[in-house]
Amino acid sequence: MLLRIGLRHNWQQQFREVNRLLLHHVNETSSQTSLNQRVVLRSLRTSARHRNAIHTKFQPIEVSGGEPGQMSNVIKAFLFTGAFSFGSFLGATVLEYENTRNMMLDKARQAKLSWFPRKTNDGTLQKLKNDLKRNWDRLTPSEKIFVPICAVNVLVFLAWRVPAWREAMLHYFCSNPASRAVCWPMFLSTFSHYSGLHLFANMYVLHSFCDPAVISLGKEQFLGLYLSAGVVASFASILYKSITAQAGLSLGASGAIMAILAYVCAQYPDTQLSILFLPMVTFSAGAAIKVVMGIDFAGCILGWKFFDHAAHLGGAMFGLFWAFYGIDIWQKRVPFLTKYHDWRKTKQ
């Protein structure tokens, strides 16, 4: 099986208009105003350099919050990461139960109704619903996971294009260790892309590795891993910025996708991968994840600003952790499934 990796592009063009306005705004403020309350778009998870950035005249926006190294934000981020990850896998367990139950009920219903003539409804709305259901049923299990994730990312990408929403997008859809709202942006930022090229690259890589991951994990466990990994990657970024006293915003699905990539490479280390537009260059998945993690580790040590290397590394480490220990952890859901099943019977 040959998977293609879409290389993440290293954008070189900065938000010139944004940075000019922000720097001008900072220079005009008094020296007593803390710099951590100014938005410095220099550490985007995708990098703060986008070739296809929309050249809109932004108004200077302030993001209030504590200092980048404030320990209270790190503690809140850590607690949120644990609670959200636990809740994600619990939710995946419930989703697995409900999907299995609905599938069995549908089969029983179809077997029962097959003995009776069906009434046809030729209404336009009913035809549309039938067509949508027919097209949805044709999708593979991995596509049924990828399509909703991609759709949410596209919607958030379009929301960035609405000038009236930009301040809210910066506040809630960018992970910022200095912001007062530090928790939920850790999750929402994993669906946030400002650059169309970055969105395409991330979704291409996710689509490439989604199928083997879903085959190995199942739809529900994959979803739990993906959502949890995104928050874990955000926490790794916040922790790194707090330790190194760096300011800046992060956004993008790269951390969550790195977890999926690392999981697949650990499960299928001998799988041959190739680079987009260079199909003649092949290498093993095991070697690929070592090189990628090595680059991100070097980026953290040397302080590179091209990508949010800490988020990438955190996501990859979580993916490797799940590859080696996820089976044992996932099996521990059985007692919860039993209790949920008993509770579900009382609600019928």
Side-chain angles (χ1 to χ4, degrees), residues 240 244 246 294-304 308-311 313-314:
Y240 175 77
T244 58
Q246 294 184 15
I295 293 174
D296 285 323
F297 181 76
C300 291
I301 298 299
L302 301 177
W304 295 344
D308 193 338
H309 295 284
L313 193 60

Side-chain angles (χ1 to χ4, degrees), residues 16 26 44 68 83 113 125 156 158 172 201 208 222 238 259 268-269 271 276-277 288 290 307 320 323 333:
R16 292 189 177 91
V26 171
L44 296 179
L113 294 178
L125 181 60
V156 176
L158 295 177
Y172 293 106
S208 298
F222 174 93
I238 289 175
Y268 311 103
T271 299
L276 183 64
F277 303 128
K290 293 176 183 177
F307 303 103
L320 291 178
R333 78 193 190 285

Side-chain angles (χ1 to χ4, degrees), residues 93-213:
T93 301
V94 173
L95 183 62
E96 179 188 37
Y97 176 89
E98 293 295 336
N99 286 342
T100 303
R101 179 176 180 272
N102 291 334
M103 181 180 64
M104 296 176 64
L105 290 177
D106 286 341
K107 289 184 177 180
R109 192 179 299 111
Q110 291 174 5
K112 182 178 180 180
L113 294 178
S114 62
W115 295 91
F116 301 95
R118 296 184 180 180
K119 295 182 179 180
T120 58
N121 189 339
D122 296 332
T124 304
L125 181 60
Q126 186 63 34
K127 286 184 178 180
L128 179 61
K129 291 173 61 177
N130 292 337
D131 291 340
L132 290 176
K133 186 178 185 303
R134 191 180 305 110
N135 292 329
W136 177 258
D137 292 339
R138 290 175 181 173
L139 298 178
T140 64
S142 62
E143 290 173 339
K144 290 180 179 179
I145 288 291
F146 171 77
V147 170
I149 293 177
C150 183
V152 173
N153 279 272
V154 171
L155 289 176
V156 176
F157 170 76
L158 295 177
W160 275 104
R161 270 59 197 165
V162 181
W165 296 354
R166 194 156 290 129
E167 184 173 357
M169 298 297 292
L170 282 169
H171 191 68
Y172 293 106
F173 285 84
C174 291
S175 180
N176 179 13
S179 175
R180 292 179 182 175
V182 70
C183 292
W184 281 109
M186 295 171 62
F187 166 65
L188 297 176
S189 64
T190 62
F191 294 92
S192 180
H193 298 80
Y194 188 87
S195 164
L197 185 58
H198 177 230
L199 173 64
F200 170 78
N202 273 351
M203 293 301 100
Y204 181 87
V205 176
L206 177 61
H207 184 268
S208 298
F209 288 90
C210 191
D211 190 57

Side-chain angles (χ1 to χ4, degrees), residues 62-105:
E62 297 183 3
V63 179
S64 60
E67 297 180 358
Q70 190 173 358
M71 186 56 62
S72 61
N73 276 0
V74 177
I75 295 175
K76 286 193 294 184
F78 174 76
L79 294 177
F80 178 79
T81 301
F84 185 88
S85 299
F86 183 75
S88 294
F89 285 108
L90 278 186
T93 301
V94 173
L95 183 62
E96 179 188 37
Y97 176 89
E98 293 295 336
N99 286 342
T100 303
R101 179 176 180 272
N102 291 334
M103 181 180 64
M104 296 176 64
L105 290 177

